Amino acid sequence: PPRLLPVLERLKSAYKLWQDYLRLFPKTSKYSLGNKIDGLFIETMEAVAIATFISKQDKLPYVKKTIIKLDTLKIFLMIAWEIKSIDEKKYILLSEILAESGRMLGGWHNQLIKQNSPTKAGEK
């Protein structure tokens, strides 16, 4: 298979875990909160994929959008844990992967800002 961007690889592994967890979701929240979380996972991965393949000058808005999607995903996962739709071990495991993905996206975001700034390092 083609080599994916490390952040996309991490999100993909989190999504595969999530798919196992979603099967165990209680019916009362599976088709509302569960589907919302599922959609956010997909939208986050989609935004990373788009940012990967578009031109350099167009990447920043997509990386920002991805960070917002990921932060929203984390909030909804926290709600799922708080209402006991997902147990603590599963929540912690997903949260760690998503936090790592967030750090990767933050680094990418900062790198793009530096590249797009009018005064690059050494040009002062």
Side-chain angles (χ1 to χ4, degrees):
R3 177 133 161 65
L4 298 175
L5 203 62
V7 67
L8 192 52
E9 200 60 67
R10 296 305 293 147
L11 288 168
K12 186 180 86 167
S13 69
Y15 184 67
K16 290 190 318 196
L17 277 176
W18 164 250
Q19 283 297 297
D20 290 337
Y21 300 166
L22 183 58
R23 289 187 195 104
L24 307 171
F25 242 59
K27 275 188 181 168
T28 52
S29 56
K30 185 175 198 165
Y31 299 104
S32 53
L33 184 59
N35 282 348
K36 179 67 176 175
I37 293 168
D38 199 69
L40 284 165
F41 260 114
I42 291 167
E43 290 169 22
T44 303
M45 289 186 294
E46 182 180 38
V48 171
I50 291 168
T52 302
F53 297 111
I54 60 175
S55 64
K56 233 178 206 171
Q57 64 269 21
D58 295 331
K59 287 182 188 294
L60 190 58
Y62 276 93
V63 174
K64 283 182 181 178
K65 178 182 177 181
T66 305
I67 291 168
I68 292 166
K69 292 280 182 192
L70 182 63
D71 287 344
T72 307
L73 170 59
K74 289 188 225 175
I75 290 166
F76 280 104
L77 267 175
M78 184 188 302
I79 293 167
W81 169 66
E82 288 174 355
I83 65 171
K84 301 189 181 353
S85 290
I86 186 172
D87 72 42
E88 191 165 14
K89 277 186 181 176
K90 291 175 173 69
Y91 172 68
I92 289 170
L93 185 57
L94 278 175
S95 293
E96 287 172 350
I97 298 170
L98 295 179
E100 181 186 1
S101 299
R103 286 189 295 275
M104 291 173 162
L105 286 168
W108 192 10
H109 177 264
N110 293 339
Q111 178 188 355
L112 288 169
I113 287 176
K114 282 180 191 165
Q115 287 173 355
N116 293 336
S117 75
T119 56
K120 292 187 177 114
E123 294 180 7
K124 293 179 182 174

